[in-house]
């Protein structure tokens, strides 16, 4: 097995499109600060992967879009693990964005059956807010070092937990890490099921799994049931 590298020089393009072959495709976005948008297309039925690394997460630049093609176990990696500045990640439906304390801002859209989104925090304090998430897509937030926070739902924007249909996993890693479920905007009574690693509501089966998290806060709870093993 070998990989060949093609160098393409372009100028004045309105967009760049990368289309995968009939195989397992891997797209790496590195050092991309150009304002030109990039569109990456996987192939239906294959396990395609896109990785947006730290050189891009913390910068300003054009929109990046990943279309997995559907039918495979497609994965998006949003990797800020080598950064030393705090990051704020926002997840809404099929878009993830990062806002850095130093002013960087980046958006990545994804569509067509992306099964997993891995978000890797920096070596300092990070936060991620999940506003909405479609069923069938799971989000994995690895906080890294620092005191990291996960927010699920957002009453400020009148978004309750029922819009989060996929699973959200939070691995706090080092530091003092906290998870918040904000369901204040809910208009019907919800029951929350909590055990030593999971929290979920009876509405839509919304759940997030918490590993290495020191505190868990539920806002707007009508009732809470706790079980521990």
């Amino acid at each position: 097995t070998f990989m060949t590298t093609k160098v393409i020089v372009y100028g004045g393009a309105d967009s760049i499109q990368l289309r995968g072959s009939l195989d397992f495709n891997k797209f790496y976005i590195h050092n991309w600060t150009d304002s030109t948008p990039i569109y990456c297309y996987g192939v239906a039925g294959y396990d395609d992967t896109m990785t947006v690394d730290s050189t891009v997460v913390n910068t300003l630049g054009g929109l990046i879009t990943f279309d997995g093609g559907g039918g495979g176990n497609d994965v998006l990696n949003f990797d800020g693990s080598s950064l030393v500045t705090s990051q704020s990640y926002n997840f809404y439906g099929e878009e993830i964005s990062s806002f850095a304390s130093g002013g960087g801002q980046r958006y990545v859209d994804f569509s067509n059956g992306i099964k997993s989104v891995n978000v890797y925090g920096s070596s300092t304090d990070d936060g991620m807010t999940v506003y909405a998430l479609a069923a069938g897509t799971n989000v994995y937030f690895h906080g890294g070092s620092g005191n990291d926070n996960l927010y699920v739902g957002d009453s400020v924007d009148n978004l309750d937990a029922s819009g989060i249909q996929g699973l959200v996993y939070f691995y706090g890693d080092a530091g003092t890490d906290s998870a918040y479920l904000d369901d204040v905007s809910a208009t019907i009574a919800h029951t929350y099921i909590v055990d030593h690693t999971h929290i979920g509501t009876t509405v839509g089966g919304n759940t997030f799994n918490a590993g290495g998290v020191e505190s868990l806060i539920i806002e707007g709870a009508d009732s809470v049931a706790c079980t521990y093993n």
Side-chain angles (χ1 to χ4, degrees):
T1 302
F2 64 92
M3 179 177 65
T4 60
T5 301
K6 301 293 186 182
V7 177
I8 301 174
V9 179
Y10 75 96
D14 295 319
S15 67
I16 295 176
Q17 298 186 16
L18 304 175
R19 296 184 179 272
S21 63
L22 293 176
D23 205 336
F24 304 106
N25 299 286
K26 294 184 178 180
F27 303 95
Y28 294 91
I29 311 299
H30 175 75
N31 269 342
W32 186 257
T33 57
D34 195 285
S35 60
T36 304
I38 296 179
Y39 300 89
C40 297
Y41 297 92
V43 178
Y46 290 91
D47 299 340
D48 303 307
T49 301
M50 170 186 275
T51 298
V52 180
D53 71 14
S54 298
T55 64
V56 180
V57 168
N58 193 36
T59 61
L60 293 167
L63 176 68
I64 300 169
T65 300
F66 179 32
D67 183 334
N73 293 314
D74 303 316
V75 177
L76 169 62
N77 298 313
F78 202 65
D79 188 1
S81 59
S82 67
L83 298 174
V84 295
T85 55
S86 296
Q87 304 292 310
S88 177
Y89 301 101
N90 296 290
F91 203 104
Y92 194 103
E94 294 185 326
E95 180 179 79
I96 184 171
S97 62
S98 62
F99 297 85
S101 59
Q105 179 178 337
R106 179 65 70 165
Y107 290 89
V108 176
D109 288 354
F110 59 92
S111 62
N112 218 343
I114 303 301
K115 301 296 185 184
S116 302
V117 180
N118 299 306
V119 181
Y120 298 92
S122 71
S123 60
T124 186
D125 303 344
D126 301 303
M128 185 170 78
T129 301
V130 181
Y131 297 96
L133 180 64
T137 298
N138 296 335
V139 176
Y140 302 83
F141 178 34
H142 301 263
S145 302
N147 304 323
D148 306 305
N149 296 313
L150 170 69
Y151 302 88
V152 179
D154 178 35
S155 59
V156 174
D157 293 314
N158 201 34
L159 297 170
D160 63 40
S162 63
I164 302 167
Q165 298 296 316
L167 298 179
V168 181
Y169 293 76
F170 180 27
Y171 303 98
D173 301 325
T176 301
D177 308 300
S178 301
Y180 300 81
L181 174 61
D182 183 355
D183 208 25
V184 172
S185 298
T187 57
I188 60 174
H190 290 176
T191 297
Y192 305 87
I193 309 299
V194 182
D195 65 19
H196 66 295
T197 59
H198 302 73
I199 178 173
T201 77
T202 56
V203 179
N206 314 309
T207 304
F208 72 80
N209 296 359
V213 176
E214 283 70 36
S215 64
L216 176 62
I217 298 173
I218 303 174
E219 298 179 347
D222 300 293
S223 61
V224 177
C226 299
T227 61
Y228 296 93
N229 295 331

